[in-house]
Amino acid sequence: MKYLFIVLYLVSSHAFSINLKLIGACSDKPIYELDIQLKGFISLGEFTVRTFEQNSIPYIGNEIALNSILNFPTGLDALEVIDNHTMRAHGACYMVDGVIPEIFPANLVLGLENQSITWFIGYSTFIDGAWIGQCDFTSNIAPEQFCSNKNNL
């Protein structure tokens, strides 16, 4: 029992660094990039909400999931209709150390090591009744409806 307490104490007092980037819909260049030192364990959801609030970064959502980052449209305004058979749904996605996890941010625990977190606008494509792909970078296609001079998210 003493051993478990010592291990938990050492791990919880361990400092680690998070590199946080936010990428919009129109360029792969980060709009925000922050290096944040943390101690102990925290969920990605809690870390994200806390960091966005402390840095006045606009978002809609909570620790479980984000509907929007960087004032990106939501709902029907986030849909891009290509033709009668194809559309893209755009929204907030995240990557940890270059990998897109298949879990909600509230269920991903940070604090075991230094990590790189990237929140970005991503999309999934709907073609003839089937969803193709998930969280592809919107900045790779820079749709005009989001990236015209007046929008440029």
mmCIF file of all heavy atoms in Angstrom, residues 91-111:
data_model
loop_
_atom_site.group_PDB
_atom_site.id
_atom_site.type_symbol
_atom_site.label_atom_id
_atom_site.label_comp_id
_atom_site.label_asym_id
_atom_site.label_seq_id
_atom_site.Cartn_x
_atom_site.Cartn_y
_atom_site.Cartn_z
ATOM 1 N N GLY A 91 -16.561 20.417 -38.635
ATOM 2 C CA GLY A 91 -16.656 20.698 -37.209
ATOM 3 C C GLY A 91 -15.317 20.523 -36.515
ATOM 4 O O GLY A 91 -14.286 20.277 -37.138
ATOM 5 N N ALA A 92 -15.362 20.630 -35.191
ATOM 6 C CA ALA A 92 -14.149 20.571 -34.372
ATOM 7 C C ALA A 92 -13.652 19.134 -34.226
ATOM 8 O O ALA A 92 -14.414 18.229 -33.920
ATOM 9 C CB ALA A 92 -14.417 21.170 -33.000
ATOM 10 N N CYS A 93 -12.367 18.937 -34.462
ATOM 11 C CA CYS A 93 -11.700 17.642 -34.303
ATOM 12 C C CYS A 93 -10.401 17.874 -33.534
ATOM 13 O O CYS A 93 -9.909 19.000 -33.454
ATOM 14 C CB CYS A 93 -11.342 17.046 -35.665
ATOM 15 S SG CYS A 93 -12.743 16.611 -36.701
ATOM 16 N N TYR A 94 -9.850 16.792 -33.009
ATOM 17 C CA TYR A 94 -8.566 16.935 -32.319
ATOM 18 C C TYR A 94 -7.653 15.753 -32.598
ATOM 19 O O TYR A 94 -8.083 14.685 -32.994
ATOM 20 C CB TYR A 94 -8.756 17.123 -30.810
ATOM 21 C CG TYR A 94 -9.168 15.883 -30.055
ATOM 22 C CD1 TYR A 94 -8.208 15.053 -29.471
ATOM 23 C CD2 TYR A 94 -10.505 15.540 -29.915
ATOM 24 C CE1 TYR A 94 -8.585 13.917 -28.771
ATOM 25 C CE2 TYR A 94 -10.887 14.416 -29.211
ATOM 26 C CZ TYR A 94 -9.919 13.609 -28.646
ATOM 27 O OH TYR A 94 -10.287 12.482 -27.957
ATOM 28 N N MET A 95 -6.380 16.018 -32.379
ATOM 29 C CA MET A 95 -5.316 15.050 -32.589
ATOM 30 C C MET A 95 -4.390 15.105 -31.375
ATOM 31 O O MET A 95 -4.137 16.184 -30.839
ATOM 32 C CB MET A 95 -4.530 15.490 -33.827
ATOM 33 C CG MET A 95 -4.109 14.444 -34.736
ATOM 34 S SD MET A 95 -3.407 15.005 -36.324
ATOM 35 C CE MET A 95 -2.843 16.640 -36.121
ATOM 36 N N VAL A 96 -3.890 13.962 -30.950
ATOM 37 C CA VAL A 96 -2.922 13.898 -29.861
ATOM 38 C C VAL A 96 -1.670 13.227 -30.400
ATOM 39 O O VAL A 96 -1.729 12.093 -30.874
ATOM 40 C CB VAL A 96 -3.471 13.101 -28.660
ATOM 41 C CG1 VAL A 96 -2.430 13.020 -27.553
ATOM 42 C CG2 VAL A 96 -4.758 13.719 -28.148
ATOM 43 N N ASP A 97 -0.578 13.949 -30.377
ATOM 44 C CA ASP A 97 0.693 13.429 -30.892
ATOM 45 C C ASP A 97 0.537 12.859 -32.304
ATOM 46 O O ASP A 97 1.064 11.803 -32.629
ATOM 47 C CB ASP A 97 1.279 12.386 -29.936
ATOM 48 C CG ASP A 97 1.648 12.976 -28.590
ATOM 49 O OD1 ASP A 97 2.031 14.163 -28.552
ATOM 50 O OD2 ASP A 97 1.552 12.258 -27.580
ATOM 51 N N GLY A 98 -0.233 13.565 -33.144
ATOM 52 C CA GLY A 98 -0.393 13.180 -34.537
ATOM 53 C C GLY A 98 -1.404 12.088 -34.810
ATOM 54 O O GLY A 98 -1.564 11.664 -35.944
ATOM 55 N N VAL A 99 -2.122 11.627 -33.779
ATOM 56 C CA VAL A 99 -3.106 10.552 -33.932
ATOM 57 C C VAL A 99 -4.483 11.077 -33.538
ATOM 58 O O VAL A 99 -4.622 11.770 -32.522
ATOM 59 C CB VAL A 99 -2.741 9.343 -33.039
ATOM 60 C CG1 VAL A 99 -3.795 8.260 -33.122
ATOM 61 C CG2 VAL A 99 -1.378 8.798 -33.432
ATOM 62 N N ILE A 100 -5.503 10.754 -34.327
ATOM 63 C CA ILE A 100 -6.871 11.143 -34.009
ATOM 64 C C ILE A 100 -7.508 10.009 -33.203
ATOM 65 O O ILE A 100 -7.821 8.951 -33.750
ATOM 66 C CB ILE A 100 -7.690 11.426 -35.288
ATOM 67 C CG1 ILE A 100 -7.052 12.581 -36.062
ATOM 68 C CG2 ILE A 100 -9.144 11.734 -34.933
ATOM 69 C CD1 ILE A 100 -7.642 12.833 -37.432
ATOM 70 N N PRO A 101 -7.681 10.222 -31.893
ATOM 71 C CA PRO A 101 -8.270 9.165 -31.059
ATOM 72 C C PRO A 101 -9.772 9.018 -31.336
ATOM 73 O O PRO A 101 -10.423 9.961 -31.762
ATOM 74 C CB PRO A 101 -8.056 9.652 -29.630
ATOM 75 C CG PRO A 101 -7.262 10.888 -29.706
ATOM 76 C CD PRO A 101 -7.283 11.374 -31.112
ATOM 77 N N GLU A 102 -10.289 7.887 -31.070
ATOM 78 C CA GLU A 102 -11.716 7.618 -31.289
ATOM 79 C C GLU A 102 -12.486 7.706 -29.973
ATOM 80 O O GLU A 102 -13.395 6.916 -29.730
ATOM 81 C CB GLU A 102 -11.889 6.229 -31.914
ATOM 82 C CG GLU A 102 -11.298 6.104 -33.307
ATOM 83 C CD GLU A 102 -12.086 6.869 -34.359
ATOM 84 O OE1 GLU A 102 -13.311 7.004 -34.225
ATOM 85 O OE2 GLU A 102 -11.457 7.342 -35.315
ATOM 86 N N ILE A 103 -12.121 8.656 -29.105
ATOM 87 C CA ILE A 103 -12.820 8.821 -27.833
ATOM 88 C C ILE A 103 -13.115 10.301 -27.593
ATOM 89 O O ILE A 103 -12.478 11.177 -28.182
ATOM 90 C CB ILE A 103 -12.024 8.242 -26.641
ATOM 91 C CG1 ILE A 103 -10.665 8.925 -26.489
ATOM 92 C CG2 ILE A 103 -11.855 6.743 -26.766
ATOM 93 C CD1 ILE A 103 -9.897 8.488 -25.259
ATOM 94 N N PHE A 104 -14.096 10.554 -26.720
ATOM 95 C CA PHE A 104 -14.427 11.931 -26.361
ATOM 96 C C PHE A 104 -13.278 12.549 -25.570
ATOM 97 O O PHE A 104 -12.598 11.863 -24.805
ATOM 98 C CB PHE A 104 -15.704 11.977 -25.516
ATOM 99 C CG PHE A 104 -16.953 11.717 -26.296
ATOM 100 C CD1 PHE A 104 -17.682 10.560 -26.088
ATOM 101 C CD2 PHE A 104 -17.411 12.637 -27.230
ATOM 102 C CE1 PHE A 104 -18.842 10.312 -26.801
ATOM 103 C CE2 PHE A 104 -18.570 12.402 -27.947
ATOM 104 C CZ PHE A 104 -19.286 11.244 -27.734
ATOM 105 N N PRO A 105 -13.080 13.867 -25.711
ATOM 106 C CA PRO A 105 -12.009 14.540 -24.972
ATOM 107 C C PRO A 105 -12.080 14.330 -23.459
ATOM 108 O O PRO A 105 -11.044 14.274 -22.793
ATOM 109 C CB PRO A 105 -12.203 16.015 -25.327
ATOM 110 C CG PRO A 105 -12.939 16.010 -26.621
ATOM 111 C CD PRO A 105 -13.792 14.778 -26.603
ATOM 112 N N ALA A 106 -13.272 14.199 -22.911
ATOM 113 C CA ALA A 106 -13.415 14.008 -21.462
ATOM 114 C C ALA A 106 -12.857 12.659 -21.013
ATOM 115 O O ALA A 106 -12.529 12.480 -19.841
ATOM 116 C CB ALA A 106 -14.884 14.117 -21.059
ATOM 117 N N ASN A 107 -12.720 11.718 -21.935
ATOM 118 C CA ASN A 107 -12.248 10.375 -21.591
ATOM 119 C C ASN A 107 -10.766 10.160 -21.871
ATOM 120 O O ASN A 107 -10.247 9.078 -21.612
ATOM 121 C CB ASN A 107 -13.057 9.324 -22.338
ATOM 122 C CG ASN A 107 -14.517 9.344 -21.945
ATOM 123 O OD1 ASN A 107 -14.860 9.710 -20.831
ATOM 124 N ND2 ASN A 107 -15.379 8.984 -22.874
ATOM 125 N N LEU A 108 -10.096 11.172 -22.396
ATOM 126 C CA LEU A 108 -8.673 11.053 -22.691
ATOM 127 C C LEU A 108 -7.895 11.754 -21.586
ATOM 128 O O LEU A 108 -8.095 12.946 -21.342
ATOM 129 C CB LEU A 108 -8.360 11.679 -24.048
ATOM 130 C CG LEU A 108 -6.971 11.351 -24.576
ATOM 131 C CD1 LEU A 108 -7.023 11.097 -26.062
ATOM 132 C CD2 LEU A 108 -5.992 12.449 -24.262
ATOM 133 N N VAL A 109 -7.039 11.034 -20.891
ATOM 134 C CA VAL A 109 -6.303 11.578 -19.755
ATOM 135 C C VAL A 109 -4.916 12.043 -20.197
ATOM 136 O O VAL A 109 -4.165 11.292 -20.822
ATOM 137 C CB VAL A 109 -6.178 10.534 -18.621
ATOM 138 C CG1 VAL A 109 -5.355 11.089 -17.467
ATOM 139 C CG2 VAL A 109 -7.554 10.108 -18.147
ATOM 140 N N LEU A 110 -4.610 13.281 -19.868
ATOM 141 C CA LEU A 110 -3.285 13.844 -20.099
ATOM 142 C C LEU A 110 -2.505 13.770 -18.795
ATOM 143 O O LEU A 110 -3.086 13.716 -17.726
ATOM 144 C CB LEU A 110 -3.398 15.311 -20.527
ATOM 145 C CG LEU A 110 -4.252 15.623 -21.750
ATOM 146 C CD1 LEU A 110 -4.347 17.137 -21.946
ATOM 147 C CD2 LEU A 110 -3.694 14.954 -22.984
ATOM 148 N N GLY A 111 -1.205 13.792 -18.879
ATOM 149 C CA GLY A 111 -0.397 13.876 -17.676
ATOM 150 C C GLY A 111 0.630 12.788 -17.518
ATOM 151 O O GLY A 111 1.351 12.756 -16.543
#
